[in-house]
């Protein structure tokens, strides 16, 4: 607005001075003292307005940008000041909740600790994969202590204007101090806290420095706890992690079987559930899922039940919801050619047979109905929770992934692009075997990124060896079970999906095929 007024004044002034100059040159020969003074004033005013306008224009965004972003920060934190989340809403993270009880007691009974000369831990760092409940835990700490909850995200502090990020950190702390006891939650901490020698962005450095200063500075009576969250602990600057700052590091990982059961229970609490739904079974089928995915499944199942005009959410809704989360949205009218359908049926049957023969995971469903980007898929889950894998098990996983391509090769003597994702996943496992687990001829070594660069040829050779030998064995498994392959693919072409029971029946009927290859 101000800029517009100055611009209009400048244009008016420019018109008057041009008129005055024109008169001076062509019309009159003003000599009077008054006229000269008038001309000089008009020109001076024009030049002043021009300079003032350019000054405003040269630094156009800094002031408004910082004002508006402060406003954003206010808005972002507005609704989240009083957390109504409690530990009852956080399922399955018992060890972490126990660890946090001390912090909660510190805030709730600070006098007890002060008497002993103990200081409140200033920073807690949650790290781990996305959707595992890091934000939820921070909100629960605020809820349990009736603290003021300030949510912020690391990327909100990243600006190209020097000083803006640091100012926002100061504002955040001022607000926390004013409303203490407070919990400041900084999500995506790595956006501002990454190692300074890796990223020499001056603005980021200033923001991080300001955060360190604030963490050191606030006094022990303030009752402010900062909780940071990141998916990449390895990226964070050492200074952030030293004692007195984020010195408590808590890993929040994907839930195990029991935790998944508890998370499901929390998310079906207020939903009408049919007796066909067995939470234990659902938890088994969702191995490797994050808490956020489980919450999503419960919600999707409820939506499906409403769509199908049901009174209660039944197991079919849950199964469809799992499929939707794992494989994406079902494509209602796919335009897959008949001959492509046959390739997909053979490909998926290949995965299923190798999985079944090598006993890798429990197959829940095979489908050739396109979902998301996949033309078909095999839904499977491990029959038991595992934390360690042998070399042989990893090789078997690679073989299952290569089963689709091997089946195409054996049946059509031709391969298609359908194995793209399988190849990526198989190569990833082989890469980890060589570089992380010391499971190749390169020996019992973990190869860090900086050494990978110089040894890329050797590494590729080892990865290729693992993949090639696995592929060869997979082709053999397919060849030895070709009858089973045809049975499964024919069933799929006719019915489009096959469940675990049907697969068992077909395998039982061609039992001799299975016995030929079980090792
Ligand atoms: P990101 O790293 O992507 O920020 P996050 O670890 O902070 O993710 P949250 O935002 O806390 O994950 O979790 C997302 C949602 O998932 C929660 O709102 C909640 O509904 C559900 N959820 C995750 N973990 C749990 C849990 N342990 N108990 C109950 N619900 C959970």
């Amino acid at each position: 607005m101000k800029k517009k007024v100055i611009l209009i004044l400048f244009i008016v002034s420019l018109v008057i001075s041009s008129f005055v100059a024109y008169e001076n040159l062509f019309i009159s020969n003003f000599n009077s003292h008054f006229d000269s003074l008038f001309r000089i004033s008009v020109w001076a005013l024009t030049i002043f307005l021009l300079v003032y306008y350019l000054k405003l224009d040269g630094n156009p965004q800094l002031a408004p940008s910082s004002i508006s972003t402060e406003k954003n920060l206010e808005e972002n934190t507005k609704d989240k000041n009083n957390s109504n989340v409690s530990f009852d809403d956080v399922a399955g993270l018992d060890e972490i909740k126990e660890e946090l009880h001390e912090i909660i007691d510190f805030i709730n009974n600070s006098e007890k600790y002060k008497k002993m000369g103990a200081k409140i831990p200033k920073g807690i760092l949650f790290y781990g994969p996305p959707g595992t409940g890091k934000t939820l835990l921070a909100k629960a700490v605020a809820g349990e202590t009736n603290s003021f909850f300030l949510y912020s995200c690391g990327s909100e502090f990243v600006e190209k204007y020097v000083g803006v990020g640091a100012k926002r950190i100061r504002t955040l702390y001022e607000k926390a101090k004013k409303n203490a006891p407070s919990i400041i939650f900084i999500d995506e901490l790595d956006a501002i806290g990454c190692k300074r020698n890796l990223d020499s962005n001056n603005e980021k450095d200033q923001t991080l420095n300001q955060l360190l200063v604030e963490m050191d500075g606030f006094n022990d009576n303030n009752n402010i706890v900062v909780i940071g969250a990141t998916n990449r602990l390895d990226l964070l600057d050492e200074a952030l992690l030293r004692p007195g700052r984020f010195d408590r590091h808590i890993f929040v990982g994907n839930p195990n079987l029991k935790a998944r059961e508890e998370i499901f229970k929390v998310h079906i609490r207020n939903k009408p559930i049919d007796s066909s739904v067995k939470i234990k079974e659902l938890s088994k089928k969702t191995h490797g899922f994050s808490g956020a995915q489980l919450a999503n499944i419960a919600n999707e199942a409820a939506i499906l039940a409403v769509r199908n005009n049901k009174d209660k959410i039944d197991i079919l809704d849950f199964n469809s919801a799992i499929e939707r989360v794992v494989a994406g949205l079902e494509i209602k009218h796919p335009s897959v050619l008949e001959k492509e359908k046959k390739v997909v049926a053979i490909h998926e049957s290949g995965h299923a047979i190798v999985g079944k023969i090598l006993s890798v995971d429990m197959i829940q469903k095979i489908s050739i109905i396109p979902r998301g980007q996949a033309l078909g898929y095999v839904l499977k889950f491990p029959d038991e929770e595992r934390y360690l894998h042998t070399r042989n098990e990893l090789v078997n996983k690679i073989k299952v992934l290569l089963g689709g391509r091997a089946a195409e090769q054996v049946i059509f003597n031709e391969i298609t692009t359908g194995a793209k994702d399988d190849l990526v996943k198989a190569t990833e496992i082989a890469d980890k075997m060589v570089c992380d687990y010391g499971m190749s001829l390169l020996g019992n070594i973990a190869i860090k990124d900086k050494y990978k660069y110089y040894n890329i040829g050797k590494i590729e050779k080892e990865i290729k060896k693992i993949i090639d030998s696995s592929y060869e064995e997979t082709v053999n498994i397919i060849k030895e079970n070709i009858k089973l392959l045809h049975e499964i693919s024919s069933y799929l072409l006719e019915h489009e999906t096959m469940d675990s029971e049907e697969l068992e029946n077909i395998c039982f009927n061609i039992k001799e095929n299975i016995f030929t290859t079980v090792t």
Side-chain angles (χ1 to χ4, degrees), residues 89-93 128-136 187 231 263 266-267 291-292 295:
D89 301 308
V90 186
L93 300 170
T132 46
K134 298 183 284 297
T135 312
L136 193 69
D187 207 357
N231 305 136
I263 294 175
V266 165
H267 288 280

Side-chain angles (χ1 to χ4, degrees), residues 91-95 253-265 278-291 294 362 381-387:
L93 300 170
D94 295 341
E95 321 73 43
N254 280 334
N256 61 20
L257 183 72
K258 188 157 184 306
R260 290 199 295 279
E261 216 178 304
E262 283 167 22
I263 294 175
F264 266 129
K265 280 183 191 158
K278 302 277 179 280
I279 297 295
K280 230 186 185 85
E281 288 305 309
L282 283 182
S283 316
K284 274 190 186 168
K285 287 179 186 174
T286 46
H287 172 85
F289 284 37
S290 66
L294 301 179
M362 308 263 288
F381 57 92
D383 49 353
E384 53 191 5
E385 294 274 310
R386 296 287 303 275
Y387 299 96

Side-chain angles (χ1 to χ4, degrees), residues 95-361:
E95 321 73 43
I96 299 177
K97 285 197 262 183
E98 215 163 278
E99 172 86 16
L100 292 173
H101 264 303
E102 193 184 77
I103 309 279
I104 290 168
D105 197 39
F106 231 124
I107 298 175
N108 286 344
N109 306 299
S110 49
E111 284 310 314
K112 187 169 83 180
Y113 290 87
K114 273 179 211 156
K115 257 190 220 160
M116 282 290 167
K119 289 178 187 165
I120 188 163
K122 288 182 182 173
I124 303 165
L125 186 65
F126 292 145
Y127 68 100
T132 46
K134 298 183 284 297
T135 312
L136 193 69
L137 276 166
K139 282 184 188 168
V141 173
E144 293 284 336
T145 53
N146 209 10
S147 295
F148 190 74
F149 184 69
L150 280 145
Y151 175 93
S152 59
C153 183
S155 52
E156 281 168 20
F157 300 99
V158 181
E159 277 284 335
K160 62 180 176 179
Y161 300 106
V162 177
V164 176
K167 185 165 183 287
R168 280 185 210 160
I169 294 274
R170 276 197 300 276
T171 311
L172 189 67
Y173 270 84
E174 272 160 23
K175 209 166 168 193
K177 278 177 213 166
K178 220 187 284 168
N179 297 284
S182 312
I183 303 290
I184 297 179
F185 179 68
I186 308 179
D187 207 357
E188 292 177 31
L189 187 64
D190 44 289
I192 46 168
C194 62
K195 288 188 174 82
R196 278 171 285 189
N197 54 347
L198 287 183
D199 188 348
S200 60
N201 177 327
N202 196 20
E203 159 60 3
K204 265 195 198 169
D205 287 359
Q206 280 204 14
T207 310
L208 175 57
N209 288 339
Q210 188 62 43
L211 177 62
L212 299 177
V213 167
E214 294 289 351
M215 287 191 85
D216 288 343
F218 61 81
N219 99 34
D220 302 328
N221 298 323
N222 270 338
N223 271 2
I224 299 172
V225 174
V226 198
I227 301 181
T230 178
N231 305 136
R232 295 291 309 271
L233 180 67
D234 55 316
L235 291 183
L236 294 184
D237 197 287
E238 294 294 319
L240 258 182
L241 306 177
R242 77 149 174 75
R245 289 170 185 160
F246 287 104
D247 49 3
R248 292 195 177 201
H249 307 165
I250 299 178
F251 177 71
V252 190
N254 280 334
N256 61 20
L257 183 72
K258 188 157 184 306
R260 290 199 295 279
E261 216 178 304
E262 283 167 22
I263 294 175
F264 266 129
K265 280 183 191 158
V266 165
H267 288 280
I268 60 168
R269 241 178 349 204
N270 305 319
K271 297 181 173 76
I273 301 291
D274 187 75
S275 58
S276 60
V277 178
K278 302 277 179 280
I279 297 295
K280 230 186 185 85
E281 288 305 309
L282 283 182
S283 316
K284 274 190 186 168
K285 287 179 186 174
T286 46
H287 172 85
F289 284 37
S290 66
Q293 281 175 314
L294 301 179
N296 192 18
I297 286 172
N299 192 46
E300 284 289 335
I303 292 171
L304 285 171
V306 173
R307 191 181 297 164
N308 298 323
N309 294 322
K310 294 180 188 170
D311 297 333
K312 287 182 175 177
I313 312 169
D314 61 27
I315 190 65
L316 296 176
D317 301 317
F318 271 98
N319 284 342
S320 304
I322 291 174
E323 265 183 86
R324 192 168 167 170
V325 170
V326 173
L329 219 57
E330 183 177 314
I331 297 169
K332 288 287 175 211
H333 305 289
S335 54
V336 183
L337 297 175
E338 210 45 48
K339 63 177 177 187
E340 283 182 328
K341 236 178 165 180
K342 185 147 192 235
V343 176
V344 177
I346 291 289
H347 183 104
E348 299 308 331
S349 308
H351 283 308
I353 286 174
V354 181
K356 187 94 189 120
I357 300 288
L358 298 175
S359 302
V360 177
D361 298 341

